[in-house]
Amino acid sequence: MLSLIVRRIANSVFTLVLISVVVFAGLELMPGDACTAYLGREGKGAALDACRARMGLDASPAIRFGQWASSIMSGDLGISTQRDKPITEIVGWRLRNTLVLSAVAALVGIPLAVFLGIFAGLRHDGPFDLAASGVALVAMTIPEFVSASLLIMVFAVGLEWTAGVVTIGYKASLPEMAAAAVLPALVLSMILSAHIMRMVRASVIDVFKSDFVLMARLKGVPRQQIIWRHVVPNSLLPVISVIGLTIAWMLGGVVIVESIFNYPGLGRLAVDVVGDRDLPLVQAIALLFGITYVITNMVTDIVALMLNPRLRTYRA
Amino acid sequence: MKSGFATLSAMLRQRSGAVGIVLVIVHLLIALLAPIIIPHDAVAQDAAAILEPPSFAHLFGTDRLGRDIFSRTLLGGREAIVISTLSTICAMVWGCLLGIILALAGGRLDACVMRVIDAMVAIPWILLVMLFVAALGSSTVALIPLLGFSYGLSVIYLARSAALDFVARDFVLAAQVRGESRWTIAVTELLPNIRDSLAVQGAMQWSWIFLAVSSLSFLGMGVAPPTPDWGQMISDARGIMRSAPWAVVWPMVFLSSLIIGVNLSVDAWAKVLSIGQLGRIPQP
């Protein structure tokens, strides 16, 4: 058990190293570098050489990767070319804000999805199931920017309950941030819970058909006990990894949702930064998203491993 | 394996499948016929008719530059449909080939390449595209290989695991004993067996890529103006939702109905071919 967890963690560390290589190589492969992006049309001749020398871009890619990687290890993400500030300073607050947004969305969306999924699955093809599955299909298929615009239309323009865009700065306090995150989190949790609900529903229907449930029914176990003791725990096991994947998906969705609501997080920063051609900052943001993805997947895998003994037995 | 016609009629017998197919066909017809049926020039600006509500002259009203929203909405899916179709073909070709070859090769090669793919999947596609847009500037032609590449990554997983189900079967072993090359085995022995599930996955990929293109257009990095596009129209008209809701509603209705239609059709298709688990979660 412990060795499995250790192996899983080692695995993730290795993936993280590969991610940093991929992010670095991705920028290397592209025409131009941080200096041509920074200088724009003046980027030729002596000015370009001077800039490259100042930023250390004249060294070979392998050496620069080594420097970049070692500075990341010590917690330094480099310096933004356009903003002339350390990237850690720019990114830190915004990463916190994105995590607050994702956390609110997950805390609302996951329990909701699990309950709806269980009830839809227990009475599948009934009126509740048809309604819930229909809504889920629509919620998970239409793009984030359409559902976000619809929610703004209803809650901000129609009912005037909240503002349509977030107006507080990125250094606002945690409760303020969580309050501002309600509408964007609603968009994310709508999509998140639609995916998870469909999965829970399918899994409940599946487990209900299995032999051990038939056995319990033949023994005369009361229906409520069958449901809550046998069906629900077993049907939630395969859902754990799906929850991990959906949260990882949400990190991509965050980019669009944040820029719609003007929410001061990492995703909106990414969109802003692309316009400025601030390559070191883009690199840092891509790396942070990659790290968050790997950690999320690792945690859900370990949770699944602890809750589901069957995963511990056969493994190459 | 069923014939195309039998599959289609089985899909039409399911209520949701019929709705989906009708939606998709209507959208295809609109996309094909739009240049003939639009009443106004979609890019012509009319300073005398800015933000007019729907009327007989302008069925869906006009936008903030006085352009006819009906004409723009009918044309608005065309470019995104073409980009997504070409990107899906790229994604399926490279994803399927690499996935099948890796399943056949197995061993160390398979393990190494899959680890690199794991790392690449961890970076959200939208940042991948942004990285390139930052370097190259936005261009719709560049989007096709970019989206094809990043969505192909998830196809590799699907094709590989589908092919792994067959790699250990006797007929593959027989082909190996006959001395056939890896390439021939992949194309003549494995591909026909996993064709159905890959086709359904391809349709699913199409809808995700279409969403990606629309989202990019929404962010100003996809279909470039003045070519009308739903994502870009929604982003244009979002700020004036209160005073001119018609400008934002119609592109939303068209975009959503196409995506819902495709998803309903894919669900019905998977049910008819009895493909159980669809990889439903789009890669980030």
Side-chain angles (χ1 to χ4, degrees):
Chain A
M1 171 78 178
L2 195 66
S3 73
L4 277 175
I5 293 179
V6 169
R7 197 182 299 167
R8 186 67 188 77
I9 293 173
N11 229 323
S12 305
V13 172
F14 182 65
T15 310
L16 284 178
V17 173
L18 274 180
I19 288 174
S20 69
V21 176
V22 169
V23 168
F24 187 84
L27 280 189
E28 278 306 302
L29 286 176
M30 277 183 297
D33 54 28
C35 273
T36 53
Y38 175 61
L39 294 170
R41 247 179 236 163
E42 276 101 68
K44 39 184 174 311
L48 190 61
D49 290 338
C51 171
R52 283 197 172 134
R54 183 168 63 89
M55 293 176 61
L57 287 177
D58 41 5
S60 81
I63 293 173
R64 278 184 289 123
F65 177 72
Q67 288 167 343
W68 185 62
S70 63
S71 65
I72 290 172
M73 296 300 281
S74 57
D76 174 18
L77 288 168
I79 289 169
S80 149
T81 50
Q82 298 292 321
R83 292 167 170 74
D84 264 333
K85 266 202 272 184
I87 290 177
T88 11
E89 204 176 289
I90 302 171
V91 150
W93 284 93
R94 293 184 166 90
L95 179 63
R96 183 206 66 163
N97 296 343
T98 294
L99 293 179
V100 169
L101 173 60
S102 316
V104 173
L107 288 178
V108 175
I110 294 172
L112 182 76
V114 169
F115 274 100
L116 290 178
I118 291 172
F119 287 116
L122 289 178
R123 291 193 177 69
H124 65 99
D125 296 331
F128 175 76
D129 176 34
L130 287 181
S133 299
V135 171
L137 183 81
V138 173
M140 65 193 259
T141 48
I142 63 174
E144 297 96 336
F145 63 87
V146 169
S147 39
S149 305
L150 284 175
L151 287 184
I152 293 178
M153 233 177 196
V154 173
F155 290 110
V157 176
L159 298 170
E160 300 191 346
W161 284 357
T162 68
V165 290
V166 180
T167 46
I168 54 177
Y170 64 93
K171 282 185 177 171
S173 72
L174 212 55
E176 276 180 312
M177 222 63 230
V182 169
L183 212 49
L186 201 59
V187 176
L188 287 175
S189 59
M190 235 170 78
I191 304 168
L192 177 90
S193 52
H195 280 293
I196 298 175
M197 192 217 108
R198 278 174 67 108
M199 190 65 207
V200 174
R201 173 185 175 273
S203 178
V204 166
I205 294 174
D206 233 37
V207 173
F208 228 101
K209 283 191 225 143
S210 64
D211 291 342
F212 65 85
V213 172
L214 184 66
M215 177 70 193
R217 274 161 69 184
L218 292 175
K219 278 198 312 192
V221 179
R223 186 178 153 85
Q224 288 305 315
Q225 201 178 332
I226 294 181
I227 292 172
W228 297 107
R229 279 276 284 281
H230 299 278
V231 176
V232 168
N234 274 298
S235 55
L236 291 185
L237 287 178
V239 174
I240 297 169
S241 61
V242 174
I243 291 178
L245 281 176
T246 334
I247 292 178
W249 162 83
M250 192 165 73
L251 294 172
V254 134
V255 174
I256 291 159
V257 171
E258 282 183 357
S259 52
I260 293 172
F261 287 98
N262 200 36
Y263 183 85
L266 210 52
R268 202 192 87 203
L269 182 68
V271 178
D272 292 348
V273 152
V274 165
D276 302 346
R277 306 204 155 195
D278 195 337
L279 295 188
L281 197 47
V282 174
Q283 205 170 22
I285 294 170
L287 189 67
L288 280 175
F289 272 107
I291 292 172
T292 324
Y293 176 90
V294 170
I295 292 178
T296 315
N297 268 339
M298 187 184 75
V299 170
T300 47
D301 275 5
I302 291 177
V303 169
L305 207 60
M306 295 207 283
L307 292 181
N308 192 353
R310 271 171 291 188
L311 293 177
R312 289 177 222 153
T313 48
Y314 72 96
R315 267 275 165 106
Chain B
M1 211 162 283
K2 286 177 178 161
S3 77
F5 186 74
T7 312
L8 191 66
S9 63
M11 282 163 74
L12 284 170
R13 274 196 295 277
Q14 304 173 35
R15 204 190 312 157
S16 59
V19 172
I21 289 173
V22 168
L23 280 175
V24 171
I25 290 176
V26 168
H27 268 286
L28 284 180
L29 285 178
I30 290 176
L32 282 175
L33 300 177
I36 310 169
I37 49 181
I38 52 166
H40 296 273
D41 184 351
V43 292
Q45 304 178 3
D46 182 357
I50 286 173
L51 288 177
E52 278 189 11
S55 66
F56 280 112
H58 301 283
L59 283 176
F60 293 174
T62 58
D63 67 6
R64 63 167 117 210
L65 295 173
R67 296 174 295 193
D68 179 47
I69 293 174
F70 180 67
S71 310
R72 291 180 65 74
T73 310
L74 290 194
L75 288 172
R78 287 162 57 95
E79 184 139 336
I81 289 174
V82 172
I83 295 176
S84 341
T85 309
L86 294 176
S87 311
T88 310
I89 293 172
C90 291
M92 293 307 288
V93 168
W94 100 269
C96 290
L97 286 181
L98 188 57
I100 295 174
I101 293 288
L102 285 177
L104 262 180
R108 195 164 286 175
L109 176 69
D110 177 41
C112 289
V113 176
M114 286 319 286
R115 300 312 304 273
V116 177
I117 307 281
D118 279 344
M120 297 215 276
V121 165
I123 304 162
W125 65 268
I126 197 160
L127 283 178
L128 205 75
V129 176
M130 281 180 179
L131 278 172
F132 277 84
V133 171
L136 301 172
S138 83
S139 113
T140 43
V141 182
L143 274 183
I144 294 169
L146 276 175
L147 290 171
F149 172 77
S150 47
Y151 278 81
L153 295 174
S154 61
V155 178
I156 295 175
Y157 286 101
L158 300 165
R160 179 175 167 274
S161 69
L164 276 178
D165 286 344
F166 289 95
V167 162
R169 304 269 180 109
D170 288 343
F171 62 89
V172 177
L173 191 65
Q176 277 164 345
V177 172
R178 281 202 302 276
E180 303 211 22
S181 72
R182 206 170 261 177
W183 188 254
T184 321
I185 297 176
V187 175
T188 61
E189 308 287 338
L190 290 176
L191 198 58
N193 280 299
I194 58 178
R195 197 188 62 186
D196 283 359
S197 85
L198 288 180
V200 176
Q201 284 299 345
M204 203 70 236
Q205 292 287 335
W206 187 90
S207 82
W208 293 335
I209 294 181
F210 189 82
L211 284 187
V213 174
S214 305
S215 304
L216 284 170
S217 302
F218 179 84
L219 292 175
M221 289 183 244
V223 177
T227 312
D229 177 88
W230 295 328
Q232 172 205 316
M233 288 170 77
I234 294 171
S235 123
D236 266 359
R238 229 162 41 86
I240 46 172
M241 225 162 7
R242 194 187 298 261
S243 53
W246 58 85
V248 74
V249 163
W250 290 108
M252 276 189 187
V253 170
F254 273 65
L255 175 55
S256 310
S257 59
L258 173 58
I259 290 291
I260 291 172
V262 171
N263 272 274
L264 289 174
S265 314
V266 172
D267 277 349
W269 196 10
K271 213 179 258 175
V272 170
L273 298 176
S274 46
I275 294 162
Q277 272 297 311
L278 275 177
R280 279 316 287 248
I281 296 157
Q283 78 178 87

PDB file of all heavy atoms in Angstrom, chain A residues 155-178:
ATOM      1  N   PHE A 155     -29.072  36.469 -13.910  1.00  0.00           N
ATOM      2  CA  PHE A 155     -28.834  36.918 -12.538  1.00  0.00           C
ATOM      3  C   PHE A 155     -28.368  38.361 -12.441  1.00  0.00           C
ATOM      4  O   PHE A 155     -28.653  39.037 -11.456  1.00  0.00           O
ATOM      5  CB  PHE A 155     -27.818  36.010 -11.844  1.00  0.00           C
ATOM      6  CG  PHE A 155     -28.364  34.651 -11.563  1.00  0.00           C
ATOM      7  CD1 PHE A 155     -27.908  33.544 -12.248  1.00  0.00           C
ATOM      8  CD2 PHE A 155     -29.373  34.466 -10.614  1.00  0.00           C
ATOM      9  CE1 PHE A 155     -28.422  32.288 -12.004  1.00  0.00           C
ATOM     10  CE2 PHE A 155     -29.898  33.224 -10.369  1.00  0.00           C
ATOM     11  CZ  PHE A 155     -29.424  32.126 -11.065  1.00  0.00           C
ATOM     12  N   ALA A 156     -27.635  38.832 -13.441  1.00  0.00           N
ATOM     13  CA  ALA A 156     -27.108  40.193 -13.334  1.00  0.00           C
ATOM     14  C   ALA A 156     -27.996  41.199 -14.063  1.00  0.00           C
ATOM     15  O   ALA A 156     -28.348  42.234 -13.515  1.00  0.00           O
ATOM     16  CB  ALA A 156     -25.684  40.244 -13.877  1.00  0.00           C
ATOM     17  N   VAL A 157     -28.397  40.859 -15.303  1.00  0.00           N
ATOM     18  CA  VAL A 157     -29.188  41.813 -16.076  1.00  0.00           C
ATOM     19  C   VAL A 157     -30.671  41.719 -15.703  1.00  0.00           C
ATOM     20  O   VAL A 157     -31.323  42.721 -15.461  1.00  0.00           O
ATOM     21  CB  VAL A 157     -28.991  41.575 -17.598  1.00  0.00           C
ATOM     22  CG1 VAL A 157     -29.881  42.503 -18.399  1.00  0.00           C
ATOM     23  CG2 VAL A 157     -27.535  41.771 -17.973  1.00  0.00           C
ATOM     24  N   GLY A 158     -31.200  40.482 -15.616  1.00  0.00           N
ATOM     25  CA  GLY A 158     -32.624  40.304 -15.342  1.00  0.00           C
ATOM     26  C   GLY A 158     -32.981  40.553 -13.891  1.00  0.00           C
ATOM     27  O   GLY A 158     -33.695  41.499 -13.557  1.00  0.00           O
ATOM     28  N   LEU A 159     -32.446  39.711 -12.993  1.00  0.00           N
ATOM     29  CA  LEU A 159     -32.843  39.794 -11.584  1.00  0.00           C
ATOM     30  C   LEU A 159     -32.062  40.844 -10.810  1.00  0.00           C
ATOM     31  O   LEU A 159     -32.469  41.243  -9.721  1.00  0.00           O
ATOM     32  CB  LEU A 159     -32.648  38.430 -10.916  1.00  0.00           C
ATOM     33  CG  LEU A 159     -33.490  37.293 -11.512  1.00  0.00           C
ATOM     34  CD1 LEU A 159     -33.042  35.950 -10.945  1.00  0.00           C
ATOM     35  CD2 LEU A 159     -34.969  37.498 -11.199  1.00  0.00           C
ATOM     36  N   GLU A 160     -30.914  41.243 -11.367  1.00  0.00           N
ATOM     37  CA  GLU A 160     -30.035  42.225 -10.717  1.00  0.00           C
ATOM     38  C   GLU A 160     -29.606  41.814  -9.322  1.00  0.00           C
ATOM     39  O   GLU A 160     -29.534  42.636  -8.408  1.00  0.00           O
ATOM     40  CB  GLU A 160     -30.696  43.614 -10.724  1.00  0.00           C
ATOM     41  CG  GLU A 160     -30.969  44.097 -12.136  1.00  0.00           C
ATOM     42  CD  GLU A 160     -31.366  45.558 -12.195  1.00  0.00           C
ATOM     43  OE1 GLU A 160     -31.680  46.120 -11.141  1.00  0.00           O
ATOM     44  OE2 GLU A 160     -31.335  46.122 -13.305  1.00  0.00           O
ATOM     45  N   TRP A 161     -29.333  40.500  -9.134  1.00  0.00           N
ATOM     46  CA  TRP A 161     -28.869  40.021  -7.828  1.00  0.00           C
ATOM     47  C   TRP A 161     -27.391  40.308  -7.604  1.00  0.00           C
ATOM     48  O   TRP A 161     -26.973  40.641  -6.512  1.00  0.00           O
ATOM     49  CB  TRP A 161     -29.101  38.512  -7.712  1.00  0.00           C
ATOM     50  CG  TRP A 161     -30.535  38.172  -7.459  1.00  0.00           C
ATOM     51  CD1 TRP A 161     -31.575  39.034  -7.274  1.00  0.00           C
ATOM     52  CD2 TRP A 161     -31.102  36.862  -7.379  1.00  0.00           C
ATOM     53  NE1 TRP A 161     -32.734  38.352  -7.080  1.00  0.00           N
ATOM     54  CE2 TRP A 161     -32.482  37.018  -7.138  1.00  0.00           C
ATOM     55  CE3 TRP A 161     -30.570  35.565  -7.480  1.00  0.00           C
ATOM     56  CZ2 TRP A 161     -33.346  35.927  -7.000  1.00  0.00           C
ATOM     57  CZ3 TRP A 161     -31.424  34.493  -7.342  1.00  0.00           C
ATOM     58  CH2 TRP A 161     -32.803  34.672  -7.096  1.00  0.00           C
ATOM     59  N   THR A 162     -26.603  40.122  -8.649  1.00  0.00           N
ATOM     60  CA  THR A 162     -25.164  40.343  -8.506  1.00  0.00           C
ATOM     61  C   THR A 162     -24.684  41.169  -9.687  1.00  0.00           C
ATOM     62  O   THR A 162     -25.431  41.405 -10.622  1.00  0.00           O
ATOM     63  CB  THR A 162     -24.374  39.023  -8.536  1.00  0.00           C
ATOM     64  OG1 THR A 162     -24.489  38.485  -9.853  1.00  0.00           O
ATOM     65  CG2 THR A 162     -24.877  38.031  -7.544  1.00  0.00           C
ATOM     66  N   ALA A 163     -23.431  41.562  -9.625  1.00  0.00           N
ATOM     67  CA  ALA A 163     -22.853  42.269 -10.769  1.00  0.00           C
ATOM     68  C   ALA A 163     -22.431  41.243 -11.817  1.00  0.00           C
ATOM     69  O   ALA A 163     -22.102  40.109 -11.502  1.00  0.00           O
ATOM     70  CB  ALA A 163     -21.648  43.083 -10.310  1.00  0.00           C
ATOM     71  N   GLY A 164     -22.463  41.647 -13.066  1.00  0.00           N
ATOM     72  CA  GLY A 164     -22.110  40.739 -14.146  1.00  0.00           C
ATOM     73  C   GLY A 164     -20.621  40.478 -14.247  1.00  0.00           C
ATOM     74  O   GLY A 164     -20.199  39.440 -14.723  1.00  0.00           O
ATOM     75  N   VAL A 165     -19.812  41.433 -13.814  1.00  0.00           N
ATOM     76  CA  VAL A 165     -18.372  41.232 -13.847  1.00  0.00           C
ATOM     77  C   VAL A 165     -17.802  41.497 -12.458  1.00  0.00           C
ATOM     78  O   VAL A 165     -18.394  42.204 -11.646  1.00  0.00           O
ATOM     79  CB  VAL A 165     -17.668  42.161 -14.856  1.00  0.00           C
ATOM     80  CG1 VAL A 165     -18.005  41.757 -16.268  1.00  0.00           C
ATOM     81  CG2 VAL A 165     -18.035  43.596 -14.604  1.00  0.00           C
ATOM     82  N   VAL A 166     -16.640  40.884 -12.209  1.00  0.00           N
ATOM     83  CA  VAL A 166     -15.980  41.062 -10.922  1.00  0.00           C
ATOM     84  C   VAL A 166     -15.196  42.369 -10.978  1.00  0.00           C
ATOM     85  O   VAL A 166     -14.456  42.615 -11.928  1.00  0.00           O
ATOM     86  CB  VAL A 166     -15.034  39.884 -10.654  1.00  0.00           C
ATOM     87  CG1 VAL A 166     -14.333  40.049  -9.330  1.00  0.00           C
ATOM     88  CG2 VAL A 166     -15.816  38.583 -10.692  1.00  0.00           C
ATOM     89  N   THR A 167     -15.380  43.207  -9.966  1.00  0.00           N
ATOM     90  CA  THR A 167     -14.718  44.505 -10.023  1.00  0.00           C
ATOM     91  C   THR A 167     -13.625  44.662  -8.972  1.00  0.00           C
ATOM     92  O   THR A 167     -12.923  45.665  -8.974  1.00  0.00           O
ATOM     93  CB  THR A 167     -15.742  45.636  -9.839  1.00  0.00           C
ATOM     94  OG1 THR A 167     -16.587  45.287  -8.745  1.00  0.00           O
ATOM     95  CG2 THR A 167     -16.561  45.839 -11.080  1.00  0.00           C
ATOM     96  N   ILE A 168     -13.466  43.675  -8.075  1.00  0.00           N
ATOM     97  CA  ILE A 168     -12.453  43.861  -7.036  1.00  0.00           C
ATOM     98  C   ILE A 168     -11.075  43.486  -7.557  1.00  0.00           C
ATOM     99  O   ILE A 168     -10.938  42.744  -8.515  1.00  0.00           O
ATOM    100  CB  ILE A 168     -12.775  43.041  -5.768  1.00  0.00           C
ATOM    101  CG1 ILE A 168     -12.972  41.577  -6.126  1.00  0.00           C
ATOM    102  CG2 ILE A 168     -13.979  43.605  -5.073  1.00  0.00           C
ATOM    103  CD1 ILE A 168     -13.221  40.726  -4.924  1.00  0.00           C
ATOM    104  N   GLY A 169     -10.041  44.008  -6.933  1.00  0.00           N
ATOM    105  CA  GLY A 169      -8.668  43.784  -7.373  1.00  0.00           C
ATOM    106  C   GLY A 169      -8.190  42.395  -6.988  1.00  0.00           C
ATOM    107  O   GLY A 169      -8.853  41.684  -6.237  1.00  0.00           O
ATOM    108  N   TYR A 170      -6.994  42.058  -7.517  1.00  0.00           N
ATOM    109  CA  TYR A 170      -6.536  40.684  -7.298  1.00  0.00           C
ATOM    110  C   TYR A 170      -5.992  40.463  -5.901  1.00  0.00           C
ATOM    111  O   TYR A 170      -5.746  39.358  -5.488  1.00  0.00           O
ATOM    112  CB  TYR A 170      -5.512  40.291  -8.374  1.00  0.00           C
ATOM    113  CG  TYR A 170      -4.230  41.071  -8.360  1.00  0.00           C
ATOM    114  CD1 TYR A 170      -3.127  40.600  -7.659  1.00  0.00           C
ATOM    115  CD2 TYR A 170      -4.112  42.270  -9.054  1.00  0.00           C
ATOM    116  CE1 TYR A 170      -1.947  41.297  -7.632  1.00  0.00           C
ATOM    117  CE2 TYR A 170      -2.933  42.977  -9.037  1.00  0.00           C
ATOM    118  CZ  TYR A 170      -1.849  42.493  -8.323  1.00  0.00           C
ATOM    119  OH  TYR A 170      -0.686  43.189  -8.312  1.00  0.00           O
ATOM    120  N   LYS A 171      -5.806  41.557  -5.132  1.00  0.00           N
ATOM    121  CA  LYS A 171      -5.283  41.375  -3.779  1.00  0.00           C
ATOM    122  C   LYS A 171      -6.381  41.418  -2.726  1.00  0.00           C
ATOM    123  O   LYS A 171      -6.091  41.550  -1.541  1.00  0.00           O
ATOM    124  CB  LYS A 171      -4.231  42.438  -3.482  1.00  0.00           C
ATOM    125  CG  LYS A 171      -2.894  42.116  -4.123  1.00  0.00           C
ATOM    126  CD  LYS A 171      -1.842  43.116  -3.713  1.00  0.00           C
ATOM    127  CE  LYS A 171      -0.500  42.732  -4.301  1.00  0.00           C
ATOM    128  NZ  LYS A 171       0.491  43.786  -4.109  1.00  0.00           N
ATOM    129  N   ALA A 172      -7.655  41.323  -3.141  1.00  0.00           N
ATOM    130  CA  ALA A 172      -8.756  41.367  -2.188  1.00  0.00           C
ATOM    131  C   ALA A 172      -8.661  40.198  -1.205  1.00  0.00           C
ATOM    132  O   ALA A 172      -8.030  39.186  -1.495  1.00  0.00           O
ATOM    133  CB  ALA A 172     -10.076  41.324  -2.938  1.00  0.00           C
ATOM    134  N   SER A 173      -9.325  40.358  -0.046  1.00  0.00           N
ATOM    135  CA  SER A 173      -9.211  39.323   0.974  1.00  0.00           C
ATOM    136  C   SER A 173      -9.982  38.070   0.555  1.00  0.00           C
ATOM    137  O   SER A 173     -10.796  38.097  -0.359  1.00  0.00           O
ATOM    138  CB  SER A 173      -9.748  39.842   2.301  1.00  0.00           C
ATOM    139  OG  SER A 173     -11.154  39.927   2.218  1.00  0.00           O
ATOM    140  N   LEU A 174      -9.710  36.989   1.273  1.00  0.00           N
ATOM    141  CA  LEU A 174     -10.263  35.692   0.902  1.00  0.00           C
ATOM    142  C   LEU A 174     -11.793  35.663   0.878  1.00  0.00           C
ATOM    143  O   LEU A 174     -12.390  35.200  -0.103  1.00  0.00           O
ATOM    144  CB  LEU A 174      -9.708  34.632   1.859  1.00  0.00           C
ATOM    145  CG  LEU A 174      -9.504  33.236   1.289  1.00  0.00           C
ATOM    146  CD1 LEU A 174      -8.638  33.272   0.054  1.00  0.00           C
ATOM    147  CD2 LEU A 174      -8.875  32.346   2.351  1.00  0.00           C
ATOM    148  N   PRO A 175     -12.490  36.168   1.931  1.00  0.00           N
ATOM    149  CA  PRO A 175     -13.962  36.148   1.871  1.00  0.00           C
ATOM    150  C   PRO A 175     -14.515  36.984   0.725  1.00  0.00           C
ATOM    151  O   PRO A 175     -15.453  36.575   0.038  1.00  0.00           O
ATOM    152  CB  PRO A 175     -14.385  36.748   3.216  1.00  0.00           C
ATOM    153  CG  PRO A 175     -13.211  36.696   4.086  1.00  0.00           C
ATOM    154  CD  PRO A 175     -12.010  36.675   3.223  1.00  0.00           C
ATOM    155  N   GLU A 176     -13.897  38.137   0.474  1.00  0.00           N
ATOM    156  CA  GLU A 176     -14.329  38.983  -0.649  1.00  0.00           C
ATOM    157  C   GLU A 176     -14.197  38.239  -1.969  1.00  0.00           C
ATOM    158  O   GLU A 176     -15.069  38.307  -2.836  1.00  0.00           O
ATOM    159  CB  GLU A 176     -13.466  40.246  -0.714  1.00  0.00           C
ATOM    160  CG  GLU A 176     -13.915  41.362   0.186  1.00  0.00           C
ATOM    161  CD  GLU A 176     -12.991  42.558   0.036  1.00  0.00           C
ATOM    162  OE1 GLU A 176     -11.761  42.376   0.072  1.00  0.00           O
ATOM    163  OE2 GLU A 176     -13.499  43.669  -0.121  1.00  0.00           O
ATOM    164  N   MET A 177     -13.065  37.525  -2.097  1.00  0.00           N
ATOM    165  CA  MET A 177     -12.788  36.784  -3.325  1.00  0.00           C
ATOM    166  C   MET A 177     -13.837  35.684  -3.510  1.00  0.00           C
ATOM    167  O   MET A 177     -14.373  35.492  -4.593  1.00  0.00           O
ATOM    168  CB  MET A 177     -11.402  36.143  -3.205  1.00  0.00           C
ATOM    169  CG  MET A 177     -10.592  36.226  -4.435  1.00  0.00           C
ATOM    170  SD  MET A 177     -10.219  37.893  -4.916  1.00  0.00           S
ATOM    171  CE  MET A 177     -10.672  37.913  -6.572  1.00  0.00           C
ATOM    172  N   ALA A 178     -14.131  34.975  -2.411  1.00  0.00           N
ATOM    173  CA  ALA A 178     -15.090  33.871  -2.510  1.00  0.00           C
ATOM    174  C   ALA A 178     -16.462  34.404  -2.905  1.00  0.00           C
ATOM    175  O   ALA A 178     -17.182  33.792  -3.692  1.00  0.00           O
ATOM    176  CB  ALA A 178     -15.159  33.116  -1.184  1.00  0.00           C
TER     177      ALA A 178
END
